[in-house]
Amino acid sequence: MTEEQTNTEQTDPQVEQPEATADDEAAEAAPKKPRARKQSTAKKTRTIELTLTVTGTADGEWQADLMHAGKRVVQSLPVAAAAVSKAAAELHQDISSTIESVLSAAREQHEAKLAELEAEVERVRKALAELES
């Protein structure tokens, strides 16, 4: 509808307009109140994404990297094997068992190296004792 047609309909007495009822008049007279939204009682949980990467070598050296919102916060931070084991135990049994198997393999490797070095030390002591006599 054009503006001209709207004006003509409003002023033209020949155009029949429906009679306004009392309810319509009351609704127009009272200012419209916006309906209030019902607030939820549930707390909104805001998730925070942190990525902790713990890497270890066969020698038992561990390090940690931490990322937050795509930004590296900590890089190559040395971590003790005991701390890794304790943290894994606190997180979950599946994580703990996997990390413990890796730590166990590293322990066995270090024990074998220790036994080898002790044998070497004993050979050197014998050689030294022979030279002194």
Side-chain angles (χ1 to χ4, degrees):
M1 222 184 242
T2 65
E3 186 176 314
E4 201 174 299
Q5 289 174 333
T6 305
N7 289 339
T8 306
E9 287 180 3
Q10 290 175 354
T11 58
D12 190 3
Q14 294 176 350
V15 176
E16 289 186 28
Q17 293 185 0
E19 291 182 20
T21 63
D23 291 338
D24 290 341
E25 289 176 4
E28 288 178 14
K32 292 187 179 181
K33 294 181 183 177
R35 291 199 322 177
R37 287 188 179 175
K38 186 175 181 182
Q39 293 289 337
S40 173
T41 57
K43 288 185 178 180
K44 292 183 180 179
T45 56
R46 182 176 159 223
T47 59
I48 298 171
E49 183 176 334
L50 294 171
T51 304
L52 174 63
T53 306
V54 180
T55 55
T57 64
D59 294 334
E61 295 175 13
W62 292 85
Q63 62 184 11
D65 296 330
L66 180 65
M67 292 189 66
H68 178 255
K71 205 183 226 185
R72 191 171 302 258
V73 179
V74 175
Q75 184 174 6
S76 302
L77 180 69
V79 180
V84 172
S85 177
K86 186 176 178 180
E90 291 289 324
L91 290 173
H92 195 273
Q93 178 61 35
D94 293 341
I95 295 171
S96 178
S97 62
T98 303
I99 290 179
E100 281 303 317
S101 68
V102 170
L103 288 174
S104 178
R107 276 188 209 102
E108 289 173 6
Q109 189 177 24
H110 283 292
E111 287 170 355
K113 188 173 182 178
L114 177 64
E116 183 181 310
L117 289 173
E118 286 175 340
E120 179 70 23
V121 167
E122 190 59 36
R123 282 193 298 270
V124 171
R125 281 190 180 148
K126 285 182 183 178
L128 184 60
E130 288 178 8
L131 289 173
E132 290 179 351
S133 19

